[in-house]
Amino acid sequence: MKKIFCLLSMLCLGFSFNANAISIDLVTNKSAVNIGDSLEVAVRISGLNDAGAPSLGVYDLDFNFDNNLFGFNSISWGDSTQGNQLDLSGFGSLQDSTSSNGWLNFFELSFDDALDLNQFQAGEFTLFSVLLNTIAVGTGNFSLIANSLGDAYGDELFVDEINETQVRVGSISVPEPSSVLLLLAGLLAIAALRTSMFKSSK
């Protein structure tokens, strides 16, 4: 009987972990760009409970990119449509970022009450977005390292999956003249030739 009880307990525990599997996705606004274009990479978290625990209260993440292909431009904290989900009450949050060649570190700590985070925070949202400039041709990979994440009370949250992404950078192509323009140019040349022949025959 004890073995059955232990087995059932382990199964229930396993289901509870699966129900709250936290993942982080790197999402780009373009899958392919040209040199000189701008690119936005959003870092989104999912798997939190919508308006319930666990919620996110603090995070420390490293964002990695190929600095041979991309140049850092700016940071946008929070979700563009849902607002900053670590600043639900308007108290602000402690935000810090540092950068080096090919990586950016992001730290944010919410000043919201734990009960407010658990009650009002969405289960999926954008933590921050990184705006980059493209500077060379190639395929660039974007990855993330989760140094630490904490819930509304500061207890550790475990990330089950981090989904990376990549973007191809191409050169600026010079458009070829269309066949319609070539045909029009040919007709104009014929008309000009006929006009000159008509004048010379007089």
Side-chain angles (χ1 to χ4, degrees):
M1 190 69 180
K2 277 187 176 182
K3 289 184 178 179
I4 296 174
F5 179 75
C6 289
L7 181 60
L8 289 173
S9 299
M10 289 177 66
L11 286 173
C12 291
L13 188 61
F15 286 135
S16 66
F17 276 120
N18 290 334
N20 294 306
I22 298 173
S23 64
I24 298 178
D25 298 292
L26 277 67
V27 183
T28 60
N29 63 338
K30 301 171 186 175
S31 59
V33 291
N34 291 323
I35 293 178
D37 291 346
S38 60
L39 176 71
E40 184 180 75
V41 185
V43 177
R44 292 185 58 83
I45 189 169
S46 60
L48 301 168
N49 275 341
D50 197 5
S55 59
L56 182 68
V58 60
Y59 63 82
D60 182 358
L61 305 172
D62 287 339
F63 175 88
N64 303 297
F65 65 98
D66 188 343
N67 63 325
N68 293 314
L69 303 180
F70 303 97
F72 171 66
N73 185 313
S74 61
I75 305 164
S76 177
W77 297 89
D79 194 293
S80 59
T81 56
Q82 297 171 284
N84 191 338
Q85 292 293 299
L86 272 74
D87 182 19
L88 299 172
S89 303
F91 298 139
S93 61
L94 177 60
Q95 300 170 344
D96 185 54
S97 64
T98 55
S99 63
S100 186
N101 292 331
W103 65 269
L104 299 163
N105 174 261
F106 293 88
F107 174 85
E108 186 171 13
L109 171 66
S110 175
F111 293 151
D112 288 329
D113 185 79
L115 294 177
D116 289 339
L117 287 173
N118 287 335
Q119 187 173 357
F120 301 112
Q121 191 179 84
E124 178 181 351
F125 55 90
T126 297
L127 298 172
F128 56 85
S129 299
V130 181
L131 187 65
L132 302 162
N133 299 321
T134 55
I135 56 177
V137 175
T139 300
N141 296 311
F142 299 94
S143 62
L144 197 77
I145 298 174
N147 299 316
S148 63
L149 285 87
D151 65 9
Y153 301 99
D155 295 328
E156 187 173 7
L157 288 174
F158 296 96
V159 178
D160 295 88
E161 187 176 15
I162 297 177
N163 297 308
E164 303 175 354
T165 191
Q166 63 177 209
V167 171
R168 181 172 178 78
V169 183
S171 58
I172 300 175
S173 58
V174 178
E176 297 180 0
S178 66
S179 56
V180 176
L181 290 176
L182 290 174
L183 179 61
L184 182 61
L187 291 174
L188 289 173
I190 293 171
L193 180 62
R194 291 185 64 181
T195 302
S196 64
M197 289 176 63
F198 178 74
K199 286 182 179 180
S200 61
S201 63
K202 284 187 174 182

